[in-house]
Amino acid sequence: MNHVVLLALMASALGVVGCGVAGLATGWIHPWERGRVLRPVAHGLSHILWGSGFFCICVVFLMASVGGTLLGGISLKMLLVGIVLFLIGTVLRGVATFPDR
């Protein structure tokens, strides 16, 4: 059951990355976010970074559930990269909605 949930979360993370790519390529923003987003490029990048970070975190937990160890050499590095990407995406999401001076 753990594998199914992690695979579903990974698929949703890839969907968020796809929305970010669509936002960068066409300037498209979700209808429920159109009133708040003031910088479409930062918004698209935030989706890409957030989704990539979340995907990395899910991959680490999927490997840990299969292999039984979480703090292997590459797993720890991938977890840290995922957390950093996730946090940068979250900050960019805030930047995308922050009004100009």
Side-chain angles (χ1 to χ4, degrees):
M1 184 66 181
N2 188 19
H3 298 91
V4 174
V5 172
L6 284 171
L7 290 174
L9 287 174
M10 289 167 64
S12 65
L14 289 177
V16 169
V17 170
C19 288
V21 170
L24 280 179
T26 63
W28 180 77
I29 299 172
H30 297 102
W32 56 86
E33 293 180 325
R34 288 187 184 144
R36 292 186 303 246
V37 174
L38 301 173
R39 295 177 182 90
V41 174
H43 186 260
L45 284 175
S46 71
H47 278 301
I48 291 172
L49 293 175
W50 190 90
S52 300
F54 192 64
F55 185 81
C56 289
I57 292 169
C58 289
V59 166
V60 168
F61 284 116
L62 186 64
M63 289 189 315
S65 67
V66 171
T69 179
L70 179 62
L71 299 177
I74 190 121
S75 295
L76 183 60
K77 291 175 187 173
M78 184 179 263
L79 182 64
L80 291 175
V81 166
I83 290 170
V84 167
L85 287 173
F86 187 84
L87 290 176
I88 291 172
T90 303
V91 168
L92 273 176
R93 176 69 180 98
V95 167
T97 60
F98 196 73
D100 289 334
R101 293 183 186 182

